[in-house]
């Protein structure tokens, strides 16, 4: 089913968790996408009737060890990140737990309800006359004619195409191994828990010690996430539940009285430095990649798709495509 893996499972923050810790390649994609998301949400709602709920709440980072680096990055990139007094942070987020001593805040950060976003995107695709969506149709390998990739073998037979794009998330490396391509994209498990509170319980997203709380418009609060290298295992664990609940209560003590509505796990497509592979694969004419977004798939997605489309169609690319080109990265 479309959009049921990491796109569904993530928190939906329209920003890298610590954007100043990433390379300029990730930053370039993130900035383009962040500016694009509000109009994307409006367009999808108008076309499909499904609201992705692009929810601008701002984000507080608490007790950062690298606050100076964060502020230097913000000045360099022109992003509205600033120091706020801790008293001001507690006034803005009264439910915040005690003991935090300093905070930085970015006002324009949004979150999106990613299961609704993927549902809206699916509906939009189904309405396009030139798109055929094949679900529950596993790809078993590639079709080749000489050095050219001309399609895929599936459980339902062969599908041929002028160009084949691999955008298989955490499974991309495994799929490409069938061609002898060693792509360093591997599954990295992340677990989340969900609480239900009053709609006005948490006015902003908050992040401390690598864990975050994200408010939805209807009062649901997401808390995440773990970082586990356990292969393709997506089983939620009691250990993660205990850890995430403890982090939730440290951030927002009132959650001690709230019921955990749901716990789940997803598999991120881990890649070196979190820089995705976007572009043609050398030595395999007709084969293209758009994968390996690691922890930032949702925030990087609009720019990644636009960049890939620009390259496929021979248009002027929105940003320099060189950092994402598969050629020269790893064994490619």
């Amino acid at each position: 089913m479309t959009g049921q893996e990491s796109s569904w499972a993530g928190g939906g923050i329209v920003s890298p968790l610590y954007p100043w810790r990433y390379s300029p390649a990730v930053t370039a994609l993130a900035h383009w996408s962040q500016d694009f998301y509000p109009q994307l949400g409006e367009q999808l709602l108008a076309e499909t009737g499904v609201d992705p709920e692009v929810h601008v709440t701002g984000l507080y980072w608490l007790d950062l060890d690298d606050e100076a680096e964060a502020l230097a990055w913000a000045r360099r990139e022109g992003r509205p990140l600033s120091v706020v007094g801790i008293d001001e942070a507690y006034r803005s987020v009264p439910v915040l737990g005690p003991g935090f001593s300093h905070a930085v805040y970015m006002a324009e950060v949004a979150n999106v309800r990613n299961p609704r976003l993927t549902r809206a995107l699916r509906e939009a695709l189904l309405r396009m006359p030139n798109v055929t969506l094949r679900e529950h149709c596993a790809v078993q390998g590639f079709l080749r004619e000489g050095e050219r990739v001309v399609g895929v073998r599936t459980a339902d037979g062969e599908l041929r195409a002028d160009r084949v794009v691999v955008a298989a998330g955490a499974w991309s490396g495994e799929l490409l191994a069938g061609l002898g391509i060693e792509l360093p994209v591997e599954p990295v498990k992340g677990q989340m828990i969900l609480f239900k509170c009053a709609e006005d319980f948490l006015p902003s997203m908050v992040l401390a010690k690598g864990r975050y709380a994200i408010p939805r418009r209807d009062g649901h609060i997401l808390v995440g996430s773990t970082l586990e290298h356990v292969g393709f295992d997506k089983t939620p664990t009691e250990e993660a539940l205990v850890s995430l609940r403890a982090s939730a209560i440290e951030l927002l003590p009132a959650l001690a009285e709230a019921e955990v509505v749901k716990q789940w796990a997803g598999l991120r497509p881990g890649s070196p430095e979190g820089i995705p592979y976007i572009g043609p694969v050398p030595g395999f004419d007709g084969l293209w990649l758009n994968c390996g977004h690691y922890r930032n798939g949702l925030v990087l997605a609009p720019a990644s798709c636009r960049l890939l489309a620009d390259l496929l169609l021979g248009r002027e690319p929105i940003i320099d495509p060189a950092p994402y080109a598969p050629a020269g990265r790893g064994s490619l």
Side-chain angles (χ1 to χ4, degrees), residues 45-300:
L45 175 59
E47 288 182 5
T48 69
V50 179
D51 187 358
E53 294 189 15
V54 179
H55 186 27
V56 180
T57 66
L59 172 57
Y60 285 93
W61 287 267
L62 303 165
D63 291 358
L64 282 173
D65 293 330
D66 56 352
E67 184 176 295
E69 289 86 347
L71 295 171
W73 170 88
R75 287 191 297 270
R76 187 171 64 248
E77 299 292 337
R79 307 309 281 186
L81 180 73
S82 59
V83 174
V84 297
I86 196 63
D87 291 341
E88 179 184 341
Y90 277 104
R91 282 194 298 271
S92 298
V93 188
V95 292
L96 195 60
F100 295 108
S101 60
H102 51 107
V104 295
Y105 178 66
M106 192 183 292
E108 298 175 2
V109 183
N111 68 76
V112 63
R113 201 153 185 169
N114 35 316
R116 299 189 182 191
L117 172 67
T118 54
R119 193 162 83 240
L121 288 168
R122 181 178 181 274
E123 287 298 319
L125 287 172
L126 290 172
R127 292 164 188 252
M128 293 181 178
N130 58 338
V131 172
T132 300
L133 196 60
R134 297 175 184 263
E135 297 176 309
H136 309 291
C137 179
V139 172
Q140 299 167 334
F142 296 91
L143 303 175
R144 298 183 67 181
E145 293 179 357
E147 296 299 307
R148 183 170 181 80
V149 174
V150 296
V152 292
R153 293 192 311 277
T154 79
D156 296 338
E158 295 184 352
L159 292 174
R160 291 183 169 262
D162 292 333
R163 292 169 181 173
V164 175
V165 178
V166 175
W171 289 264
S172 298
E174 188 178 63
L175 190 60
L176 289 164
L179 289 173
I181 297 172
E182 295 180 15
L183 188 76
V185 173
E186 62 179 4
V188 182
K189 183 178 180 179
Q191 299 192 51
M192 307 275 291
I193 57 175
L194 181 70
F195 298 89
K196 181 65 170 72
C197 302
E199 291 181 14
D200 60 353
F201 171 75
L202 183 61
S204 298
M205 294 180 281
V206 292
L207 193 160
K209 299 179 182 177
R211 295 279 169 88
Y212 51 79
I214 305 169
R216 302 303 198 209
R217 288 177 180 169
D218 62 2
H220 280 100
I221 307 294
L222 280 75
V223 174
S225 67
T226 64
L227 202 63
E228 306 167 59
H229 293 266
V230 291
F232 288 96
D233 176 17
K234 291 197 301 178
T235 309
T237 65
E238 181 66 23
E239 180 183 11
L241 175 61
V242 171
S243 174
L244 289 168
R245 192 167 184 276
S247 294
I249 293 168
E250 182 178 4
L251 266 176
L252 308 167
L255 292 180
E257 306 302 320
E259 178 187 359
V260 175
V261 177
K262 192 171 184 179
Q263 177 189 6
W264 66 89
L267 299 175
R268 309 174 185 91
S271 61
E273 299 183 73
I275 300 174
Y277 295 85
I278 305 171
V281 180
F284 294 85
D285 191 26
L287 183 64
W288 294 67
L289 305 183
N290 194 353
C291 57
H293 294 73
Y294 197 17
R295 305 191 73 175
N296 297 307
L298 184 133
V299 64
L300 304 185

Side-chain angles (χ1 to χ4, degrees), residues 31-42:
H31 286 181
W32 194 95
S33 293
Q34 287 168 318
D35 294 339
F36 182 76
Y37 254 108
Q39 69 188 76
L40 175 63
E42 293 171 3

